[in-house]
Amino acid sequence: MTAQPILRVSALSKEFRGTRALNEFYLDVAEGEIVALIGPSGCGKSTLLRCLTWLEQPDDGFIEVAGRPFGRALMPRGVVRRQSRREIDALRPKIGLVFQQLNLWPHLTALENVVRPQTVVLGRARAEATRRADELLGRLGLADRAGRYPHALSGGQKQRVAIARALAMEPALMLFDEPTSALDPELVGEVLTVLKSLAATGMTMLVVTHEIGFAVNVADRIAFMDAGAVIEEGPAREVVANPRTPRLRSFLDLVLDRAQVPSGETLALPQTE
Amino acid sequence: MGFKFEYLLSILPDLALAALVNVRLAAVIIAIALMLGTMLTVLRSLKLRPVNAVVAIVISFVRGTPLLIQIFIAYYVLPAVGLDLTPEVAGIAAISFNSMVFVSESMRGGLASIDPGPLEAATALGLRPPVIWWKVVLPQLFRRIAPVLINEATIVVKGTALLSVITVVDVLRTAQQMASSSYRPFETLVGAALVFLVVNLAISLAGKTAEARFAATRM
Amino acid sequence: MRFDASILVDYWPLLAEGAWLTLRITIAAFALGYLAGIAVALLAILPGRLPRLMASVYIETLRNIPFIIILFVVYYGLPFSGVRLPATLVGTAALALFASAYYAEIVRAAILALPRGQFESARVVGMSPAQAMWHVVAPQVLRTLVPPSTNMTLTMMKESAVLSSVTVPELTYQSLIVQGNTFAPFEVFAAVAAIYWLIAIGIAEASRRLERRVGAAQAASVSANPIAARYLSLDARRPS
């Protein structure tokens, strides 16, 4: 691991009509690390991802991606400079976001969903972009689905196309918004395999999820978020096994109780629990 | 010469008075169109092949030709076949006929969205088709297409302005008469435009309010 | 009453000329009106309250005033502000203005009907707003635009008859001249109605071809439920 984190979020704040969705949010994600961000609904997880991709403009704070400031830069003598739309757009490919709803483009084939951003944004030649897209789709087990339109793909296949679309931009960091929520419960294992295989290539990932079992299995580190800030973090199994703050404890009690009713076995919790 | 705002203000009361002509004509037309449109829809639902073939041609004709031409036909052609109508009556006839077709076509669209369940229940209970139409289908249908009918009402109001062309003294013709004596056509026409804007916005607003209240009472 | 076709033979060139002008005016007003409509629709979806308010005032005002009055306001308003242009040009511009409000509403509604995530997912990979509109929003919106735009264009073509009242020598104007010369309203208006009808059928056919090309979704088929078919369908053929 290098000293420089791939993602550094400092003091990020965002207010919506008097509600602080993000309240001085801090988080570092190191290269090759997988961090799961958990927390109750309404704790600001979605807002964080929208701010990290500048779909929402944070009111305050800084984002650094692979050592480069994103959205706002702190200049010498404490001057804050807002980046132009062009500067922001130029950095966006470095942050791959897989939406909860995936948002594939239904009028384009799976292959074209992956090719188009490369040719339009990175200016890659079509042949080159197609080659990369083929390779990515192949790696994700979609070689025979490349010519299909999204509506003819299963939920899991769509998700992998969305992942390929983001990966094609050669991001430094991948963000996942609730990757298990749009899928049938029995496909959770499949998502896990895909993310693990991505991890094997050294990809840095921030995964927002409300499924503790999934978080424990996929992540190196878990950050627990409440009321717009990270209030506890640490190695995945440890955080879940030995929560230090009362808020995380009560959150875990709540979700584990609930989650165990429908599918207890998918929750591979540490033995210490 | 600049825009004389005071002149515009001074003519608005008379234009508003003239608008009553348009509103009155539109009310009569809408009532006729709703009645005939409903009858036409029920007639089409009988699916008598020759009848529907003729109806289809009439609909295509009405939808494919300008309302102004339809008004001219009522105004110039009907007298030639012995039907001597006053300009007002000719205008009412033309726009009603036009609107009838649009009402029936809206109903056709609305019918497709009605839940067949209550119809099956009514049929199973042995209700006769006229009763089913009157008690089951039409009430649902009118509720469904109420927004479309409100929109059609504003279209009819706008259509009545064309009757000035066949000498009906409505808002537009009143405005033109004022302009010919004051030599201020721009102000009088802006006044006429404002009057129509107010009438149609009022209709849309009343429609939306009624709809909201209706939706509330149904819950 | 007899139908005297010889009148039509004598005055055919006048009517043909008028029809040709009606067609050209419709095409020009369509192009002009659609461009303006797209601009107003984009204004309506811009972030911020002011652009949206401006767009909705534009749309609501033009949609609630009869076209004949819009035409007269433009026709008498332009000389008022010192601009003198040929009637045909003014009429076409007024027609485009009128239609642009409806086109704007059609485009706005189609864009808003598209889930927001479509635009956002394009922005997130780094596309500019214009690129996102072009590559992701526009192709999807296009299919839903065709049917309502066709309807509006037909309406506009029919409204162009009103241009006769400001001496634009289009089809209706010519028909009134022929009617004034011949006093044969039946023949003249039957012929003119038939010409309009043909133009309308032509526009509808062109739209059907376009629709097939952009692959618009087919309407849901009528229910096979016999009771539903009895009351809720007006199609002559009964589903068996």
Side-chain angles (χ1 to χ4, degrees):
Chain A
M1 274 186 207
T2 50
Q4 182 81 272
I6 288 290
L7 175 71
R8 164 160 279 177
V9 188
S10 17
L12 206 64
S13 295
K14 176 74 183 174
E15 197 166 303
F16 287 113
R17 294 170 199 272
T19 317
R20 301 216 95 183
L22 292 177
N23 192 4
E24 305 234 333
F25 182 96
Y26 286 87
L27 185 72
D28 281 4
V29 182
E31 186 167 1
E33 195 182 21
I34 306 182
V35 175
L37 190 69
I38 61 171
S41 55
C43 72
K45 290 176 297 189
S46 316
T47 306
L48 175 72
L49 289 189
R50 292 181 68 80
C51 283
L52 287 183
T53 47
W54 220 258
L55 286 175
E56 292 300 343
Q57 248 185 66
D59 303 326
D60 228 325
F62 298 93
I63 301 163
E64 247 176 57
V65 179
R68 291 160 75 186
F70 178 61
R72 261 188 211 110
L74 192 58
M75 307 299 282
R77 271 177 265 153
V79 177
V80 175
R81 193 182 70 83
R82 295 161 57 100
Q83 292 181 340
S84 69
R85 205 209 75 225
R86 270 165 213 284
E87 286 175 279
I88 290 168
D89 284 351
L91 267 171
R92 273 183 160 149
K94 288 284 140 206
I95 310 165
L97 170 63
V98 178
F99 289 86
Q100 183 175 0
Q101 304 302 333
L102 305 178
N103 296 333
L104 289 181
W105 302 317
H107 61 299
L108 303 177
T109 61
L111 182 74
E112 195 59 29
N113 263 278
V114 186
V115 168
R116 192 65 66 90
Q118 299 181 61
T119 56
V120 172
V121 178
L122 305 178
R124 278 187 189 145
R126 228 195 125 71
E128 158 81 351
T130 308
R131 194 184 57 71
R132 279 170 192 263
D134 275 331
E135 186 202 311
L136 276 169
L137 291 175
R139 227 173 76 196
L140 290 162
L142 293 167
D144 57 336
R145 296 286 186 274
R148 292 210 183 175
Y149 285 88
H151 67 82
L153 297 172
S154 73
Q157 291 167 345
K158 274 188 228 172
Q159 187 174 53
R160 280 177 280 152
V161 174
I163 293 172
R165 179 172 70 180
L167 286 177
M169 310 305 283
E170 298 184 338
L173 164 79
M174 286 284 285
L175 307 176
F176 290 86
D177 190 4
E178 302 281 6
T180 56
S181 72
L183 301 176
D184 295 334
E186 60 272 22
L187 289 175
V188 170
E190 193 186 312
V191 187
L192 194 67
T193 315
V194 172
L195 294 200
K196 287 281 190 197
S197 74
L198 270 183
T201 67
M203 180 55 71
T204 311
M205 287 181 260
L206 177 63
V207 183
V208 164
T209 181
H210 65 276
E211 283 205 35
I212 304 294
F214 180 74
V216 169
N217 276 317
V218 77
D220 304 317
R221 192 150 60 90
I222 285 182
F224 172 64
M225 184 175 182
D226 197 15
V230 172
I231 60 169
E232 185 170 343
E233 61 178 306
R237 277 159 205 276
E238 206 176 297
V239 165
V240 174
N242 304 307
R244 279 168 289 144
T245 55
R247 265 194 284 178
L248 176 55
R249 210 169 296 137
S250 61
F251 173 71
L252 287 177
D253 286 346
L254 203 69
V255 291
L256 291 181
D257 269 5
R258 262 195 222 146
Q260 252 144 5
V261 181
S263 56
E265 56 172 13
T266 59
L267 289 173
L269 278 180
Q271 298 305 308
T272 45
E273 177 69 24
Chain B
M1 67 189 206
F3 189 91
K4 270 211 176 155
F5 199 70
E6 314 82 73
Y7 175 68
L8 171 61
L9 281 182
S10 75
I11 58 169
L12 278 182
D14 284 343
L15 286 178
L17 213 59
L20 291 179
V21 175
N22 295 74
V23 171
R24 182 173 54 81
L25 290 175
V28 173
I29 290 166
I30 290 161
I32 296 174
L34 272 181
M35 219 161 61
L36 294 183
T38 307
M39 285 161 62
L40 182 65
T41 307
V42 177
L43 175 71
R44 290 165 78 190
S45 80
L46 299 178
K47 302 176 187 74
L48 308 165
R49 223 169 265 200
V51 173
N52 275 20
V54 173
V55 170
I57 293 171
V58 171
I59 289 174
S60 171
F61 172 79
V62 169
R63 293 175 49 149
T65 56
L67 178 58
L68 188 59
I69 294 289
Q70 292 163 18
I71 291 170
F72 284 153
I73 289 174
Y75 186 64
Y76 290 110
V77 180
L78 291 186
V81 292
L83 268 172
D84 221 342
L85 309 174
T86 65
E88 264 196 26
V89 175
I92 289 174
I95 305 180
S96 303
F97 196 75
N98 181 285
S99 187
M100 162 192 84
V101 161
F102 282 87
V103 167
S104 180
E105 282 297 272
S106 309
M107 293 179 110
R108 169 203 176 91
L111 282 173
S113 71
I114 285 184
D115 173 18
L119 303 184
E120 289 166 331
T123 309
L125 286 173
L127 294 185
R128 298 177 44 74
V131 180
I132 293 181
W133 268 105
W134 190 247
K135 295 278 182 192
V136 187
V137 180
L138 290 180
Q140 278 194 74
L141 183 56
F142 279 118
R143 218 171 297 163
R144 281 292 150 106
I145 64 170
V148 186
L149 294 180
I150 295 292
N151 188 42
E152 179 62 21
T154 66
I155 292 174
V156 167
V157 169
K158 288 189 279 180
T160 57
L162 289 178
L163 300 185
S164 62
V165 175
I166 55 166
T167 73
V168 174
V169 183
D170 76 323
V171 174
L172 179 53
R173 203 162 182 90
T174 306
Q176 286 170 312
Q177 286 169 351
M178 289 170 170
S180 64
S181 61
S182 69
Y183 299 105
R184 296 208 150 270
F186 191 44
E187 286 90 339
T188 55
L189 287 165
V190 169
L194 281 176
V195 167
F196 272 102
L197 189 60
V198 168
V199 170
N200 274 338
L201 286 179
I203 292 176
S204 305
L205 198 68
K208 278 195 188 109
T209 316
E211 227 177 287
R213 193 166 299 173
F214 210 58
T217 53
R218 254 190 304 165
M219 279 168 68
Chain C
M1 189 172 63
R2 276 183 53 247
F3 189 95
D4 184 358
S6 66
I7 292 165
L8 295 178
V9 176
D10 291 347
Y11 285 94
W12 180 249
L14 222 51
L15 294 182
E17 212 174 290
W20 176 227
L21 185 59
T22 289
L23 199 60
R24 279 182 298 160
I25 287 174
T26 302
I27 293 168
F30 168 78
L32 216 62
Y34 222 106
L35 281 179
I38 291 172
V40 174
L42 292 179
L43 193 67
I45 59 165
L46 236 50
R49 218 166 282 173
L50 187 66
R52 200 170 20 165
L53 184 73
M54 281 162 55
S56 72
V57 167
Y58 180 95
I59 292 171
E60 287 306 316
T61 304
L62 287 171
R63 290 210 312 172
N64 281 304
I65 298 172
F67 172 60
I68 190 169
I69 293 184
I70 296 174
L71 173 68
F72 282 3
V73 168
V74 172
Y75 189 76
Y76 290 105
L78 277 182
F80 186 89
S81 51
V83 183
R84 274 180 201 285
L85 295 169
T88 303
L89 204 62
V90 176
T92 307
L95 196 61
L97 179 73
F98 160 78
S100 69
Y102 294 82
Y103 289 138
E105 182 55 24
I106 290 168
V107 173
R108 189 193 70 92
I111 292 177
L112 289 185
L114 197 67
R116 196 158 172 74
Q118 287 293 313
F119 182 73
E120 290 186 339
S121 59
R123 295 282 286 126
V124 151
V125 295
M127 289 191 197
S128 68
Q131 286 169 333
M133 289 304 273
W134 180 253
H135 289 280
V136 174
V137 176
Q140 295 187 59
V141 161
L142 203 63
R143 341 176 162 204
T144 56
L145 283 182
V146 178
S149 301
T150 304
N151 268 336
M152 184 51 215
T153 305
L154 283 172
T155 301
M156 181 189 71
M157 185 276 290
K158 292 184 281 170
E159 288 286 339
S160 75
V162 173
L163 297 189
S164 59
S165 53
V166 294
T167 73
V168 176
E170 45 67 74
L171 184 51
T172 300
Y173 183 83
Q174 303 289 25
S175 74
L176 288 170
I177 289 190
V178 177
Q179 142 76 8
N181 286 348
T182 60
F183 298 101
F186 181 55
E187 288 81 354
V188 172
F189 290 120
V192 165
I195 297 172
Y196 274 114
W197 201 358
L198 279 178
I199 297 176
I201 290 169
I203 293 175
E205 182 54 35
S207 143
R208 249 190 295 279
R209 296 202 175 167
L210 181 65
E211 211 173 327
R212 228 171 291 147
R213 278 196 53 176
V214 298
Q218 291 292 306
S221 58
V222 185
S223 137
N225 176 335
I227 292 170
R230 177 170 185 184
Y231 294 98
L232 306 183
S233 153
L234 305 183
D235 297 325
R237 192 173 303 157
R238 289 163 193 263
S240 53

